[in-house]
Structure formats: structure tokens, C-alpha cells
Amino acid sequence: MTEHTPQHDPHPATAGASDQPPQRTVLLRGGDVHSPADPFATAMVVERGHIAWVGSEGAADAFAQGVDEVVDLDGALVTPAFTDAHVHATSAGLALTGLDLTGAQTLADALALVRAHAERRPGDRVLLGHGWDAARWPERRAPRRDELDEAAGGRPLYLSRIDVHSAVVTTALLDLVRGIRDEDGFHESEPLTRAAHHAVRAAAFAAVTPAQREEAQRAALRRAASLGIGALHECGGPDISSAEDFTALLELARHEPGPRVFGYWADRDLDLARELGAVGAGGDLFVDGALGSHTACLHAPYQDAPHTGTAYLTAGDVAAHVAACTEAGLQAGFHAIGDAAVGAVVEGVRAAAEKVGLARIRAARHRVEHAEMMTPQTIAAFAELGLTASVQPAFDAAWGGADGMYADRLGADRAATLNPYAALLKAGVPLAFGSDAPVTPLDPWGTVRAAAFHRTPEHRISVRAAFTAHTRGGWRALGRDDAGVLVPGAPADYAVWQTSELVVQAPDDRVQRWSTDPRSGTPGLPDLTPGVDLPVCLATVVGGREVFVRPQG
């Protein structure tokens, strides 16, 4: 990708979201532009931070002399920037800058990584790490407290499980939390869950200095921009981070170049959500926990544990919150994974609709995060109530399949019902894709691939549908229908990609897997067949301003 700038500096300044939109007019040409406005587009004009025109190479000649800059795409692909609809930026950044255990293959590996991290960070008041998953280790158990005490040299240490719904900690961290042994979910010999986990997490993150937090947030935003992500939905809340963390991230995003950040605050205090600058009182407002930690709330017991998980909110709680949010003009949103939790959300939203009216409920576009254990009845209810399913296909890639963690927890038959994206789309349920980073990494093309090549074939969707859910779907989940697509008038949030031949991939092995027949009139996308290299981001632009450019060489 090369630039020709006959009239101005070839390196225009970037700007944060709060700055005025750029005044420069830019013509991109000589590539492929993924746009419903023209399935064969090779060129695009950006003016005042918005898309001004999309079309063919021949027509681009008419613009070439009247623009400030001409960008030769050199065959690259231009797409809308991705939107990650569920992230925890500080935690994701701490995993990038600190102790990341997702690559640990054994318990011994994890303990060695703890020792090395403790040696590298002698000044940290509390050592923080994330990503252990005993289900993948041959030992099939979490680290014991005495093992962690030794590895950390007796220092306070917090290690969240991959799903962030349980943690193992050292004795020194427990000593910082008054009354921790009396909290629900405290275990001397097992990972901490529920209230005990929330208490130790709060203590651990309270020890993060403003400098550490800013370093982590910048790292997360930089990584997102480098992957073609132009917008993030931050899911904060009092059980997840802190108000200071939440507002610091929003402030950072406002004043520095990078992805747009939209904050959801998981609290039933609507005044506080507004005061903090949240776009919704939801996100990770927990109705239940997670399958990996045995805290997702189920109708029938776990296969590998004699209970049905944990319910944090009732259908009545959901109904009251949804009604209040609807009256206040705010989005509500809930974390719900287990079938009993998803059922409680549906029951609660339906009760709220009886109070304030179905049309108002549908117009508010309330959200459900994760929504993994769905039934035909709850899928139909999502469509009826206008609920957006904010989902994470990488969960299936990580834990699905006959031999995965889901099958361990639920048995193969129940596990095969999880994350039914095809049924949701068929019913008309809006999908918004995200990563839940750091639970799974920021990886938008990998996320699209995971949905298109779901481990359960009947749940697969086309690459095109998955791509839409990860671009326009995130904007629609915010209540915006004018973004996430490259058409005249839309915000100029786009990414430029180095990729192989473009194809049209279908989700069903019974039909042709891909087609490059131009008669279809369907814009192509990269081949995401497992094993094929994913596209490489060359540049990311937000509001017409570059927020990432891949170094040459």
C-alpha cells in the first residue's frame, strides 16, 4: 500500500475521538473495497471523517485531481473496521504486559511462569496473572495455595482462571481481605468463586497503580488497533473492576488515537451508570457465572459436579432492571450463560414488556452477553423481545467439541446445543461478536472463522454473516444502524488488509464450499478455512484518521 500526496504532508496527524473530524479528502484505489454499495468496488473516497463515495477504478479517475491524498492500495482489501462487542480492557492489557498463563501446558509450567514473573516485578504490591486452565493440564487440578506461596515468594498473588469467574490466590493476598474465609465461595483447597472471588479480585485490582493501569489500557487499545478493531464495548462494573478504572479508560480513549470505546456499567444504579459515562447499565450484570468454574446456572446438574451452579439475579430482578432502564432510555444488559440463567432473563424481560410495552422493549435493544445455553423457546423469545445476543465464537473454538471442557461439564449431548448461531440468525436474533478479552484473545478474523467453522456443524453460519456480526452487528447493538459498513455517509472506520484471494464461503458441506463466480454479485472475503493464514492488518482508520499503520519491512 503506497501513498501519493501531491498537496499535503504524507503523514497526517492522528486524533482522538474527541477531536474535530479530519478535513482532508482521501481517495483509496487499486484494491478491493468490501461494500454493499458496489460488490465490485475497487476505490473509495473519504471526506470529513465519513465515506463519501465507493465505486470502480474507472470512476475513481474523476476524483484523483480533487483530493488531498491518493492511496494506492496495491491490491489490498478494505473492509469496515471490526467492533469487539465485549472486552475488559485493563485485564486484557495486564495479560499483555504481565503474567499470561494461557500458554501454560502443565501445572509445572504455570508455577514456573509465576516464579519468573515475581522475579521480574519486585516492586508490584500485588502480583496479577490470568489464564490458567486446569482442564487442559495433565494434572487436571488447579495450583494449590502452598504451591503458589512458594512460587510467589510469599507475596500477594491473584491468578484468575481463563473464564475470570474463579481464581487461585496466595495466603498473603487472603491476609489483605478482612473476613474472606466467611464469604460465600471460599474454599481452603479449591479455587475461590462467587462472593469470595469478587472480594479478592477487588483487593488485587485496588493495588494496581494508576501508572500500571494506564500501561495496560494503552497496550489493549494498541493491540486492538493493530488487528483492525475500530471500536470496543468495555464491560465494566463494581464486581469486575472499579469506577476509577472505567472512567480512566473512557478518558484515555477520548484523548488519544485509537479505537472508539463505548462503556457498559454492570450496575442497577442507573444514576451512577450515567454519571460514569456509560451507554448502558448492563454488560456483565451477572445472572450467573461460567461453565468452566461450575457457576453457570443450569436446569439440570453438571455432569462432573453434584449441583446446578449459581444464580445471582432472579427473573424479578431482571424485570425491575429492564423496566427501569427502558423508562430511563438506557440499554439494559445481562451476563447469562446457563440455560436456567438465560430462561430467567427471558422471563424477566417478558414481565418488563407487560409493564412498559413490548414496542418500547424492542426499541431499547437490550442485550444478553454470552447466551450460550439456548433452547428453541429462548431463541424464539429473543427474537420476539428484540434482544441482541452478544456472543463469543472463540469460546466454542476453545472449549467445544466432543472432547472439550463443555462436554466435561455438561456431557456430549448438552454440550452440542451450545452457541447455536445458525438457529439464532434464522430466528432473526441480532448477533454482535466479541472476545470477552482476556478470556479469549482479541482476534477478529479468528472469531469469524470460529463461527463459520463451529465445532458443531449445524450451528455454523456463513463467513459473510459472521463478518457482519463482528462489524455492523456491534454498532447495531449500540442502537446505531449507520455504521460498521462502507457506504456513503457512514463513519470512515475501516481497515486495510493483506490477504489471499477473496471467496464466498458457505457454512454447509452439502453445498459448494466457496465460489468466486462474479455473477453472484456477493462481495468476497478472505478464505478462512482452518489452516489458511489469516489476513494481516496493514492499517486501521477511525473517523478518517489512522490509528495504526504496520511498519514496513
Side-chain angles (χ1 to χ4, degrees):
M1 183 178 71
T2 57
E3 297 181 3
H4 306 285
T5 54
Q7 301 177 41
H8 291 277
D9 184 345
H11 301 288
T14 56
S18 65
D19 293 346
Q20 292 297 314
Q23 304 302 307
R24 294 164 59 81
T25 301
V26 179
L27 167 65
L28 298 90
R29 65 185 305 177
D32 290 288
V33 178
H34 185 86
S35 172
D38 183 345
F40 311 113
T42 61
M44 180 172 78
V45 173
V46 174
E47 185 176 25
R48 297 180 181 273
H50 288 75
I51 308 300
W53 172 84
V54 175
S56 67
E57 193 64 27
D61 290 336
F63 294 96
Q65 299 305 312
V67 300
D68 300 311
E69 179 181 351
V70 178
V71 176
D72 180 359
L73 293 168
D74 195 21
L77 170 67
V78 181
T79 71
F82 286 101
T83 295
D84 192 311
H86 191 122
V87 300
H88 306 283
T90 301
S91 295
L94 288 169
L96 292 170
T97 60
L99 177 53
D100 182 359
L101 298 177
T102 55
Q105 299 298 308
T106 67
L107 173 59
D109 287 347
L111 293 172
L113 288 169
V114 170
R115 290 188 190 94
H117 182 70
E119 291 173 2
R120 285 195 308 271
R121 309 285 295 213
D124 289 2
R125 288 180 286 178
V126 173
L127 299 168
L128 298 170
H130 167 74
W132 62 270
D133 187 358
R136 297 180 178 178
W137 296 344
E139 298 89 350
R140 306 287 288 184
R141 70 169 178 85
R144 295 193 308 267
R145 192 164 300 134
D146 62 317
E147 294 171 326
L148 293 175
D149 287 345
E150 184 278 328
R155 296 166 62 188
L157 167 72
Y158 168 87
L159 296 180
S160 53
R161 189 187 178 279
I162 187 70
D163 61 10
V164 201
H165 283 266
S166 60
V168 289
V169 302
T170 56
T171 303
L173 181 58
L174 291 179
D175 291 343
L176 298 178
V177 186
R178 184 188 299 272
I180 185 62
R181 288 173 171 80
D182 297 325
E183 291 284 1
D184 180 43
F186 179 84
H187 308 279
E188 285 291 355
S189 58
E190 298 290 336
L192 306 186
T193 62
R194 303 190 295 277
H197 174 228
H198 295 161
V200 295
R201 178 166 58 189
F205 277 84
V208 174
T209 66
Q212 281 178 288
R213 180 178 64 212
E214 187 173 309
E215 176 192 20
Q217 291 175 348
R218 280 204 171 97
L221 295 178
R222 282 196 304 266
R223 175 63 64 88
S226 75
L227 295 169
I229 297 171
L232 301 167
H233 298 186
E234 167 70 10
C235 292
D239 291 329
I240 301 161
S241 53
S242 68
E244 292 77 16
D245 179 273
F246 186 76
T247 55
L249 175 66
L250 297 183
E251 188 72 9
L252 182 68
R254 270 194 294 269
H255 291 98
E256 294 197 5
R260 305 176 194 265
V261 177
F262 300 94
Y264 285 85
W265 182 252
D267 200 324
R268 286 185 278 176
D269 184 339
L270 306 192
D271 291 337
L272 178 59
R274 286 191 189 280
E275 181 183 324
L276 296 178
V279 297
D284 270 337
L285 187 54
F286 297 124
V287 180
D288 68 344
L291 290 165
S293 294
H294 293 98
T295 52
C297 190
L298 314 179
H299 283 305
Y302 285 87
Q303 175 166 284
D304 60 350
H307 59 80
T308 57
T310 304
Y312 295 117
L313 296 177
T314 66
D317 296 328
V318 171
H321 186 63
V322 170
C325 285
T326 305
E327 297 280 12
L330 278 175
Q331 273 186 308
F334 302 92
H335 163 120
I337 287 179
D339 51 359
V342 174
V345 171
V346 165
E347 182 183 344
V349 177
R350 186 168 280 136
E354 292 175 359
K355 178 179 179 182
V356 303
L358 178 59
R360 294 181 69 190
I361 293 291
R362 290 177 60 85
R365 303 191 192 188
H366 301 306
R367 300 169 52 144
V368 183
E369 310 298 320
H370 316 308
E372 291 197 81
M373 291 187 71
M374 304 289 289
T375 66
Q377 293 74 29
T378 52
I379 290 171
F382 269 47
E384 172 198 352
L385 298 167
L387 297 174
T388 295
S390 171
V391 296
Q392 296 73 40
F395 287 8
D396 174 73
W399 303 305
D403 300 321
M405 181 271 288
Y406 289 154
D408 290 344
R409 295 291 185 268
L410 302 172
D413 289 345
R414 275 194 296 176
T417 68
L418 264 60
N419 302 303
Y421 304 137
L424 286 161
L425 278 182
K426 184 177 180 180
V429 176
L431 294 183
F433 282 178
S435 63
D436 200 8
V439 176
T440 60
L442 297 165
D443 180 15
W445 285 115
T447 295
V448 174
R449 172 185 279 172
F453 293 90
H454 197 294
R455 291 180 180 271
T456 304
E458 58 262 37
H459 299 331
R460 293 174 179 169
I461 60 177
S462 70
V463 167
R464 183 184 181 192
F467 178 78
T468 299
H470 214 349
T471 51
R472 198 170 191 182
W475 283 99
R476 286 173 165 167
L478 288 164
R480 292 273 303 271
D481 294 327
D482 63 334
V485 62
L486 301 182
V487 296
D493 292 11
Y494 60 90
V496 182
W497 305 94
Q498 175 184 305
T499 187
S500 56
E501 181 184 17
L502 304 183
V503 298
V504 179
Q505 287 181 294
D508 194 330
D509 288 323
R510 294 173 298 180
V511 298
Q512 186 175 357
R513 197 64 167 160
W514 58 79
S515 169
T516 53
D517 186 346
R519 293 172 297 180
S520 69
T522 301
L525 284 166
D527 181 1
L528 299 185
T529 304
V532 174
D533 290 341
L534 293 174
V536 174
C537 185
L538 302 177
T540 305
V541 174
V542 175
R545 298 183 186 273
E546 289 178 337
V547 299
F548 169 77
V549 177
R550 181 165 297 281
Q552 295 184 356

Short mmCIF file of all heavy atoms in Angstrom, two decimals, residues 50 78 115 148 209 234 237 270 284 317 361 473 481:
data_model
loop_
_atom_site.label_atom_id
_atom_site.label_comp_id
_atom_site.label_asym_id
_atom_site.label_seq_id
_atom_site.Cartn_x
_atom_site.Cartn_y
_atom_site.Cartn_z
N HIS A 50 -15.95 10.72 6.99
CA HIS A 50 -17.02 9.83 6.56
C HIS A 50 -16.74 9.29 5.16
O HIS A 50 -15.93 9.86 4.41
CB HIS A 50 -18.37 10.55 6.58
CG HIS A 50 -18.90 10.81 7.95
ND1 HIS A 50 -18.38 11.81 8.76
CD2 HIS A 50 -19.88 10.20 8.67
CE1 HIS A 50 -19.03 11.80 9.92
NE2 HIS A 50 -19.93 10.83 9.90
N VAL A 78 -9.99 -3.56 1.59
CA VAL A 78 -10.50 -2.59 2.57
C VAL A 78 -11.84 -3.09 3.07
O VAL A 78 -12.74 -3.41 2.28
CB VAL A 78 -10.66 -1.19 1.94
CG1 VAL A 78 -11.18 -0.20 2.98
CG2 VAL A 78 -9.35 -0.71 1.35
N ARG A 115 6.98 -17.91 39.12
CA ARG A 115 8.30 -17.60 39.71
C ARG A 115 9.03 -16.53 38.89
O ARG A 115 9.57 -15.57 39.43
CB ARG A 115 9.15 -18.86 39.78
CG ARG A 115 8.69 -19.88 40.80
CD ARG A 115 9.70 -21.01 40.96
NE ARG A 115 9.12 -22.07 41.76
CZ ARG A 115 8.50 -23.14 41.25
NH1 ARG A 115 8.40 -23.28 39.92
NH2 ARG A 115 7.98 -24.05 42.05
N LEU A 148 1.55 -21.97 45.31
CA LEU A 148 1.61 -20.58 44.89
C LEU A 148 2.40 -19.73 45.88
O LEU A 148 3.14 -18.82 45.47
CB LEU A 148 0.20 -20.02 44.73
CG LEU A 148 -0.64 -20.62 43.60
CD1 LEU A 148 -2.05 -20.06 43.64
CD2 LEU A 148 0.00 -20.36 42.24
N THR A 209 -1.51 0.34 40.42
CA THR A 209 -1.26 1.78 40.44
C THR A 209 -1.86 2.42 39.18
O THR A 209 -2.06 1.75 38.16
CB THR A 209 0.24 2.07 40.48
OG1 THR A 209 0.83 1.63 39.24
CG2 THR A 209 0.91 1.38 41.66
N GLU A 234 -16.53 -1.81 26.26
CA GLU A 234 -15.94 -2.13 27.55
C GLU A 234 -17.05 -2.54 28.52
O GLU A 234 -18.02 -1.78 28.74
CB GLU A 234 -15.19 -0.93 28.10
CG GLU A 234 -14.78 -1.01 29.55
CD GLU A 234 -13.68 -2.03 29.83
OE1 GLU A 234 -13.07 -2.54 28.87
OE2 GLU A 234 -13.41 -2.28 31.02
N GLY A 237 -17.86 -2.81 35.75
CA GLY A 237 -18.86 -2.94 36.80
C GLY A 237 -18.20 -3.12 38.15
O GLY A 237 -17.00 -3.43 38.23
N LEU A 270 -28.83 3.26 38.07
CA LEU A 270 -28.83 3.92 36.76
C LEU A 270 -28.20 5.29 36.82
O LEU A 270 -27.55 5.73 35.86
CB LEU A 270 -30.26 4.02 36.22
CG LEU A 270 -31.07 2.72 36.14
CD1 LEU A 270 -32.33 2.95 35.31
CD2 LEU A 270 -30.25 1.59 35.55
N ASP A 284 -21.72 -7.02 31.89
CA ASP A 284 -21.57 -8.14 32.81
C ASP A 284 -22.33 -7.92 34.11
O ASP A 284 -21.77 -7.97 35.21
CB ASP A 284 -20.09 -8.40 33.10
CG ASP A 284 -19.49 -9.38 32.10
OD1 ASP A 284 -20.25 -10.16 31.50
OD2 ASP A 284 -18.27 -9.36 31.91
N ASP A 317 -35.66 -9.66 39.52
CA ASP A 317 -34.60 -8.66 39.45
C ASP A 317 -34.41 -8.16 38.02
O ASP A 317 -34.24 -6.96 37.77
CB ASP A 317 -33.27 -9.25 39.94
CG ASP A 317 -33.29 -9.66 41.40
OD1 ASP A 317 -33.99 -9.01 42.19
OD2 ASP A 317 -32.59 -10.63 41.73
N ILE A 361 -39.71 -2.09 24.69
CA ILE A 361 -38.66 -3.06 24.99
C ILE A 361 -37.85 -3.37 23.73
O ILE A 361 -36.62 -3.36 23.74
CB ILE A 361 -39.26 -4.36 25.56
CG1 ILE A 361 -39.88 -4.11 26.94
CG2 ILE A 361 -38.22 -5.47 25.63
CD1 ILE A 361 -38.88 -3.80 28.04
N GLY A 473 -22.76 -5.61 13.34
CA GLY A 473 -23.51 -6.11 14.48
C GLY A 473 -23.19 -5.39 15.77
O GLY A 473 -24.07 -5.14 16.60
N ASP A 481 -27.49 2.19 13.43
CA ASP A 481 -27.64 1.45 12.17
C ASP A 481 -26.88 2.09 11.02
O ASP A 481 -26.96 1.61 9.88
CB ASP A 481 -29.13 1.35 11.79
CG ASP A 481 -29.92 0.51 12.77
OD1 ASP A 481 -29.36 -0.45 13.32
OD2 ASP A 481 -31.11 0.83 13.00
#
